Every structure is written in C-alpha cells, then in structure tokens.
Amino acid sequence: MSLTIDRSLISDRAAAFLDQPAFDLFIDGQWQGARDGQRFATVDPATESVITHVAAAGEADVDRAVRAARRALDEGPWGRMRPAERQRLMLRLADLVEEHAQALAEVESIDSGKSAAMARAVDMALVVDTLRYYAGWATKIEGSTQEASVPYAPGMELVTYTRREPVGVIAAIVPWNFPLLVAAWKLGPALAAGCTVVLKPAEQTPLTALYLARLVQEAGFPAGVLNVLTGDGANAGAPLVRHPLVNKVSFTGSTEVGKLIGHASVDNMTRCTLELGGKSPVIVLDDCDPARAATGAANAIFFNQGQVCCAGSRLYVHRKHFDRVVADVAAIAEAMPLGPGLDPAAQVNPLVSREQMQRVCNYIDIGRQQGAEVVTGGGRALDRGFYVKPTVLANVGPDARVVREEIFGPVLVAMPYDDVDQVAAWANDTPFGLGASIWSNDLGRVHRLIPRLQAGTVWVNCHALLDPAMPFGGLKQSGIGRDLGRAALDAYLETKSAFIAV
Ligand code: ADP
C-alpha cells in the first residue's frame, strides 16, 4: 500500500485489503495474474501517488473469464440452482457488504477521490439495498399461461405458456464515479435472473470490484458466477463486448463509448443496456422558496464533485429569483471545506484523475471564452491533488458549449427564464434526457410540467434520489434501457413461448 495513506484514518479491514501483495484477476473462482503478466497503477487522487498495481486483463483473459461464466451456467451448480437458493446467496452477499461497508467506503474513497463518509452513507447503503431488493426478485420471476386461438388449427387443443429464462453471460462495464454502486446495479438483476457476470471496473477505480469478488467468494457463490477483469477499455472492455459468448452487455459510461458498444453489440446480436451521459436541468419555478431551491441546486451539482451522470448541471431560475438563487448557490460553494475524501469534514474532494481535472478546467476556460461570467470558482484548487473549485457560470447563451455538453465536474451554468413554456423548451433543448428536477410548491404546475420534460427521471423538490425499486435511465443520447427496478430485471431475462398440443 502507498506510504502516503495515513493508516490512522482507515479501518484495519481497509488497510489489510490494500496491503495485499498482488491484485489479480478473479476468474472461475480463482485469483490469477493476466496471461501476459501486465499490470497497471491505480492512483490516489488526493495525493497523486500510486496506491497499488493491479492486473491488466487482455484478450486472452477476457476469453478465459467469459468461458468460465458460460461453464458456470451450463455445467456448474448455478444453472440448476433453485431460485430460493440464489436468493439466499444474494442475501448473504448483501450482509457481507454491509459488514464490510466502512472498509469498502474507505477503499472507494482512496481510489476515486470521493468522500468516504458519502460513500458509506450513499454508495454502500444503496449497494446493500440493491442486492437485497433483487434477492427478493429471484423467487418472483413469472411467466404466464395463455388461451391460444391459432386460427388455422381450430380443432387443436393447446397448452400455451411463457417462461422467463436468464439471458446468459453478462458483460458489466462500469464507470469510475460510483464504481461499486453501478456494479451492484448490474450484478443484482443479473444474479436474480440466474445469469453469470464478467465485471470490468473502470481502470481509474479497480479496487472495490476486487473487494466485492472476495465477498462473493466468501458468500459461497459457485465458481464462474462472478468474474472480475481489471483493465482498460481498449484491451479488456472492447474484446469483452465483442466476445461471441457474451449474451448481454450492461454498460454505464460516456455516450461516446456507449455508441461504440451499441454498434459492436448489434454485430453479435448481443443484448445491451446503455446508461450514458446527461446534462440535467434544475428548474426553479417562481412560487418556491429561493433559499431552499439554492440549497437543492448546490447539492444537485456539487455532490460527488459533479461527477454524477444525472448531476443538475443546468440551473434555470425564474427571473424574479435569479440573482438571489445564484448568489446563494455561490455562497454555498464558497463555504464548502476542501480536502481529501478521508476527511469527514471535507465537502470538496478531488476529481478522479488528472485527465478529468484538466477536462473540467478546460470547459471552464471554454465558458469564459464564450462570454460566461464566472460567479465563483473558476479552475483548479491547490497544486497537489486533482481538486477543482466548485464553479458557477452565468450569462451564457443557449448555444454555449458549457450549456450543451456534459462537463462531469463541479460546474453549474445558471440561466434566468420568464415563463414556464420557455423553460420547458430550454430544458428539453439538449441532446441528453437523463434527469430533471422541478422546484415548486404548486402541485398543478408540477403535474403539468412532469410529462413535458424529456427525461428518464423527474425529481420534485429533490434531485438525484435513487431507489432500487425505481427504474433509472435515459432518453435520447442518455441511453437505452433502464437500471434498477423491475424494468432492469426484465432486461436480464429472455421470454420463451411454449406450445403443447395435447
Ligand atoms: P469516462 O469517459 O467517464 O472515463 P468511459 O465511457 O470512457 O467513461 O468509461 C466507462 C467504462 O467503459 C470504463 O470501464 C472503461 O474502461 C470502459 N471502456 C472504455 N472504452 C471502451 C470500449 N471501447 N469498449 C468497452 N469498454 C470501454
């Protein structure tokens, strides 16, 4: 483990995990190095120092992992396991994650930069709930019986029914902003449905997926049900998507990579779920309390340093309250203490990587060049660690790049509007359609506005709340399909129709 991590700030469990001599791939229930021996470094965004090295999977490892996942379905006990037994294993895994939640949160924090306290309260709590929610579904998967009326076989007596069967081998490719949480969004429905999984965490944040694999082993899942391949997109992700034995890809990440994955999936007729980028509007109507709206708007963009696909990155405030709300959001931003994710008081933590920090700072500069006023923030903070000051931009036109493109950082663009029709049109004038929030106490206006917004989720007087039972996903360039809820489970099941002449 890196000497720069202060052991007094982390639990013994986290220290013991980080201290292990090698971080190998988890394939077929075994820990093994990459076939070609390649490894890569993972970096602590708060100190910029190397935490440890992990195995870098290549095409040969992808093939081993996918074949192990296929064998687990066809030959191992998993394919024949009763739903109640799957449910029991999933509940045991959820209990283990809960028991290790503090250590998992600390490891997530060190690897991604995010607040350990938030990772514990939000990410890990939702991982546990998601696993428990889907554990319940394992025993509630139902087909249906029909009364058939085949027109050209009038005298024939038929028994007809449908059954739901696991899609098969799932490639779960996840991003670095909520590494373990998004992995659980894929793993939960996949395991409930009886699928097997090859999980590829993002190269920036490989560690909690490896920790999870240890817990999966401890819970007693048969070999090959979960396989974890650490590695990058080109050498591990792309061959995984192309592998002919993969039946479904479940991807969360950028729209750009999502499109590549979508194209590659169609070549093999691999099913795919794509949860992609966003540029979600926060709409403050004129009837609401501006102070409350400002607190909500600040949380909507600054939580997890804005590295949230449904971050409220466009703020539309009725002109009557505009100056007040923008000033309040700026004051909140300026009062947020800055520090590493392991500091429980710090609310501004580093971004995940140097590349991401530079990308976000570059967008702030583009905003300035296109005439934006920098109300607060405006670039990097400190010269060690990947910190970016929470930033509010105003006076930007609707075509400015900072209004149209996903920044994925703590950068808010604020715009005044004059009437609801205008703000509904502006809110929808984006290639994305992931989330939106409305701040208002006028029920009638809220209910009229919700159907008009092109977004997979609309929050009212809150933003970015997630629940395992509520489907999450996007319209337009924000993706195809849903994570969470019954909607996600359905996408891990095929429907087979049976006709029996009796
Ligand atoms: P970001 O731009 O936020 O880093 P990406 O969409 O590049 O997000 O990455 C999300 C996940 O997709 C990561 O696990 C990454 O390794 C993986 N990935 C990147 N490129 C590819 C690719 N061509 N095929 C499959 N997976 C990829």
Side-chain angles (χ1 to χ4, degrees), residues 141-191:
I141 294 168
E142 296 172 336
S144 58
T145 56
Q146 283 83 3
E147 287 292 311
S149 38
V150 181
Y152 50 85
M156 193 178 262
E157 264 192 70
L158 284 167
V159 175
T160 45
Y161 67 94
T162 62
R163 46 181 275 114
R164 311 300 309 278
E165 299 178 352
V167 166
V169 175
I170 308 300
I173 300 182
V174 300
W176 43 257
N177 58 341
F178 292 92
L180 194 64
L181 178 55
V182 177
W185 291 4
K186 319 296 190 193
L187 201 58
L191 297 178

Side-chain angles (χ1 to χ4, degrees), residues 173-176 200-204 231-234 237-238 241 251-254 257 260-261 408:
I173 300 182
V174 300
W176 43 257
K200 197 203 82 62
E203 52 272 42
Q204 297 85 347
D232 65 17
V241 171
F251 172 78
T252 298
S254 61
V257 173
L260 291 176
I261 288 177
F408 223 65

Side-chain angles (χ1 to χ4, degrees), residues 278-302:
K279 192 77 187 175
S280 301
V282 173
I283 302 168
V284 179
L285 299 189
D286 59 356
D287 67 85
C288 79
D289 170 10
R292 184 174 174 211
T295 306
N299 285 334
I301 184 63
F302 299 136

Side-chain angles (χ1 to χ4, degrees), residues 188-243:
L191 297 178
C195 298
T196 56
V197 177
V198 179
L199 168 65
K200 197 203 82 62
E203 52 272 42
Q204 297 85 347
T205 54
L207 295 179
T208 47
L210 297 173
Y211 200 138
L212 181 74
R214 286 164 48 136
L215 301 181
V216 162
Q217 224 174 354
E218 192 177 335
F221 281 86
V225 173
L226 172 70
N227 306 272
V228 178
L229 296 177
T230 47
D232 65 17
N235 296 296
L240 179 58
V241 171
R242 282 197 311 265
H243 198 293

